[in-house]
Amino acid sequence: MSNIKVGSVVKACAGRDKDRWFVAVAVGGGFVEIADGKERRLAKPKRKNIKHISPTDTLIDTGGLTDKKLRKLIYDFETRNLYHEDRQPLDGEVF
């Protein structure tokens, strides 16, 4: 089985959500329910096959999590990842 746990930050690898970041809010039976706080709210998460997502090593505490906090956490994670991936510096920018 996969190492996906509740609170794992995952990336969708298939479907209309492809290449978007989510957080796993429920795991079981070969499926994961994911939410991003914007289009997929915590109240109505997307059910996705475990084969169609890619987990990261990052875990988020889901206790007391709101859609607004979830959006902020995913935004921070996404910008941190995009900044550190093989990106060329802009003029005058130093890594």
Side-chain angles (χ1 to χ4, degrees):
M1 196 82 180
S2 182
N3 59 349
I4 299 173
K5 300 174 184 148
V6 173
S8 294
V9 177
V10 298
K11 187 174 188 178
C13 299
R16 72 174 60 189
D17 300 323
K18 184 177 181 179
D19 295 330
R20 289 185 41 216
W21 296 100
F22 296 90
V23 172
V25 294
V27 180
F31 291 93
V32 178
E33 290 186 2
I34 56 175
D36 65 357
K38 187 174 182 178
E39 293 176 19
R40 291 295 177 175
R41 306 261 178 180
L42 289 167
K44 192 174 180 190
K46 167 79 174 168
R47 184 174 181 234
K48 206 135 174 91
N49 190 316
I50 206 161
K51 296 176 189 176
H52 297 162
I53 58 174
S54 175
T56 64
D57 294 332
T58 306
L59 281 174
I60 293 175
D61 182 22
T62 57
L65 192 62
T66 63
D67 287 321
K68 185 175 182 176
K69 288 179 186 177
L70 180 57
R71 283 192 305 271
K72 171 104 171 77
L73 290 170
I74 289 176
Y75 175 78
D76 291 344
F77 179 82
E78 187 176 29
T79 55
R80 185 184 65 200
N81 264 2
L82 291 176
Y83 186 76
H84 290 292
E85 287 182 1
D86 302 320
R87 188 170 80 84
Q88 296 297 318
L90 301 173
D91 289 337
E93 186 177 31
V94 179
F95 285 114

